[in-house]
Amino acid sequence: MKNSVVHVRVNDQLKNNVETILEELGLSLSFAINMYLKQIEAKRGIPFDVVLETEEKTREIKSLAKAINLSGGKEVSKYANKIINLYAEGIIDYETAVFALGRNI
């Protein structure tokens, strides 16, 4: 039984964007918030990472961006996009990403 009300201030544009997405999923904002709270309860914490990048990770990202820019400003290829996505998802490490991108140039 729902008997508590939670008031939260959010940016209007953010709220509208999220409601549009949730509507496409067939969910209400209220239902989505309840799902989020249930996940916090189940995991006993925030259900996703809330972290600041380390200085080393920031350096790696900047270096990877420089490697991408070696393409001379050309549009990034599908191959390079795939490598970038694999790195961003943590599937491959920094060295592998730079090596793979270097092979594509």
Side-chain angles (χ1 to χ4, degrees), residues 75-87 101 104:
E75 184 177 328
V76 177
S77 68
K78 287 182 183 179
Y79 173 82
N81 260 336
K82 184 175 182 177
I83 298 303
I84 293 164
N85 287 330
L86 290 171
Y87 174 69
L101 287 169
N104 189 43

Side-chain angles (χ1 to χ4, degrees), residues 25-70:
L25 294 169
L27 302 172
S28 68
L29 183 58
S30 179
F31 186 81
I33 291 170
N34 274 292
M35 285 181 13
Y36 174 65
L37 295 176
K38 280 290 202 182
Q39 284 297 304
I40 292 173
E41 179 182 53
K43 296 185 183 295
R44 299 195 37 77
I46 303 294
F48 49 82
D49 291 339
V50 181
V51 297
L52 294 173
E53 295 293 346
T54 63
E55 286 184 36
E56 179 182 345
K57 185 73 169 178
T58 301
R59 277 193 305 275
E60 287 179 357
I61 291 168
K62 286 180 180 177
S63 183
L64 185 57
K66 287 178 185 175
I68 294 165
N69 285 332
L70 289 176

